[in-house]
Amino acid sequence: MANPILSSMHIAALILSFLLFFILGMSSAQLSKNFYETSCPEALSIIKLSVHSTVQTEPRMGASLLRLHFFDCFINGCDGSILLDDTANFTGEKSADPIRGSIRGYDVIDNIKAQLENSCPDVVSCADILTVVARDSVVELGGPTWKVLLGRRDSTTASLSDANMDIPGPASNLSQLISAFSKKGFSVKEMVALAGAHTIGKARCTNFRNRIYNDTNINAPFARSMQAICPPSGGDNNLASLDSSSTSFDNVYFNNLLSQKGLMHSDQELFNGGFTDSLVKTYSSNPSTFASDFANAMAKMDNLSPLTGSNGQIRKNCRKIN
């Protein structure tokens, strides 16, 4: 019998997604694929070359840059607020529990911004840089591409409380994941596709310790191998790959879930006897379907509540307001 709570949540998520579609549509209508065509024609090539150089040097950074964009968009929209350092007037998002110690790549964005300021001062926003960098990082690691609309402006503030509330944590169960993503206008299918971003990158021991010692829906040899990396206490920053091919953007993440080898509790929740099991099976056997659905979901995420027109500003330094 279907779980009535999850079923009602599914319906609510669909309704919310339908309503937010129009809001997102109005926001993205102010964005343009060719926004910098005349004001900074070299912008996209500067970003692409920087991402290529960075990921070639350290493949893991590709996942970090994608994660940086995801977190930025999940907290009050894709506005570059995650890049702001704390000030006397506010404690920013960098200090939030889901972000502190888990997010990296700020220096990569700083470097790209400096190049763009040298080429075309006061033109390219930090929010747009994050958006393009995420797409280019996925492509660099062998994943799909998608059309990125441009013209976002940067937030002049950040919210610690929203960062702590909005980011789904590694201990989230399925209903919590559905709720977190539905609040941002994503369907269950889009949520599962976006979770596939965990096909690249690594996680800290503190984010998967409880699973490898306490969960029962876990492959025993896999749990033991992770316990060798992550002891019961200490070693919080020890790293483990999110899937067994963590520097290649593919569908191995979903194959791992079928074998109960999801690294974090929230990962394995997608294949744990719930109605997302069928989506995991589909993506595990159809890499092209996953790639297409992921690209479409990312294009939608890129347009979460962007600041446009006269809202916000174009920061000269992504770490502080002008």
Side-chain angles (χ1 to χ4, degrees):
M1 181 180 294
N3 187 318
I5 296 177
L6 288 181
S7 297
S8 62
M9 288 184 63
H10 193 184
I11 294 172
L14 291 174
I15 294 173
L16 185 57
S17 296
F18 181 75
L19 292 173
L20 288 180
F21 174 81
F22 294 99
I23 298 174
L24 293 172
M26 288 187 290
S27 297
S28 61
Q30 300 178 57
L31 302 177
S32 166
K33 181 181 178 181
N34 302 315
F35 190 82
Y36 298 114
E37 189 171 50
T38 57
S39 60
C40 191
E42 301 300 316
L44 294 181
S45 61
I46 288 173
I47 296 173
K48 183 177 181 179
L49 287 172
S50 294
V51 170
H52 172 75
S53 175
T54 298
V55 175
Q56 286 292 308
T57 302
E58 185 190 359
R60 180 190 166 209
M61 187 57 75
S64 298
L65 294 171
L66 174 60
R67 185 176 175 85
L68 186 57
H69 172 58
F70 168 79
F71 275 30
D72 181 52
C73 292
F74 241 67
I75 309 166
N76 297 321
C78 307
D79 59 3
S81 58
I82 196 171
L83 302 173
L84 288 170
D85 289 337
D86 294 350
T87 72
N89 297 320
F90 68 86
T91 302
E93 295 158 15
K94 290 180 179 179
S95 299
D97 291 337
I99 294 173
R100 186 178 62 251
S102 295
I103 294 297
R104 56 202 291 271
Y106 298 113
D107 54 336
V108 176
I109 303 302
D110 290 341
N111 178 58
I112 293 173
K113 179 61 173 174
Q115 293 181 60
L116 290 169
E117 285 298 303
N118 183 62
S119 179
C120 38
D122 305 319
V123 172
V124 183
S125 69
C126 301
D128 272 350
I129 293 172
L130 284 175
T131 307
V132 177
V133 159
R135 190 269 311 273
D136 289 355
S137 293
V138 169
V139 173
E140 192 66 34
L141 292 173
T145 188
W146 59 91
K147 182 173 69 174
V148 172
L149 301 178
L150 302 166
R152 294 164 194 78
R153 290 169 65 84
D154 299 321
S155 172
T156 56
T157 189
S159 174
L160 174 66
S161 60
D162 289 340
N164 279 321
M165 286 192 304
D166 290 352
I167 302 296
S172 299
N173 60 35
L174 183 58
S175 62
Q176 290 169 331
L177 291 170
I178 291 171
S179 176
F181 278 81
S182 69
K183 287 177 182 176
K184 305 300 176 181
F186 291 104
S187 68
V188 173
K189 179 180 178 181
E190 290 167 334
M191 177 196 73
V192 176
L194 289 170
H198 282 184
T199 187
I200 52 176
K202 297 184 177 185
R204 295 190 302 149
C205 166
T206 186
N207 289 322
F208 61 87
R209 176 184 284 118
N210 189 62
R211 167 160 166 74
I212 63 175
Y213 287 101
N214 297 306
D215 280 4
T216 57
N217 60 342
I218 188 169
N219 177 279
F222 173 73
R224 288 193 293 271
S225 67
M226 292 300 102
Q227 289 168 5
I229 296 172
C230 181
S233 62
D236 284 359
N237 292 322
N238 293 352
L239 298 172
S241 296
L242 283 163
D243 85 359
S244 52
S245 62
S246 63
T247 59
S248 177
F249 196 99
D250 50 35
N251 68 331
V252 170
Y253 168 78
F254 297 104
N255 291 320
N256 288 166
L257 296 184
L258 296 182
S259 303
Q260 295 189 314
K261 295 179 181 178
L263 181 62
M264 296 186 293
H265 181 83
S266 57
D267 291 320
Q268 197 60 55
E269 279 290 284
L270 300 181
F271 190 77
N272 192 33
F275 64 87
T276 54
D277 284 12
S278 60
L279 288 167
V280 172
K281 290 178 180 178
T282 295
Y283 292 150
S284 71
S285 59
N286 296 278
S288 60
T289 300
F290 162 56
S292 176
D293 286 355
F294 178 83
N296 289 335
M298 282 301 301
K300 181 175 178 177
M301 174 170 287
D302 291 348
N303 296 318
L304 284 178
S305 306
L307 297 175
T308 58
S310 60
N311 295 316
Q313 62 181 211
I314 306 299
R315 289 190 224 130
K316 294 184 69 68
N317 181 334
C318 291
R319 292 176 180 264
K320 61 183 181 180
I321 63 175
N322 296 339

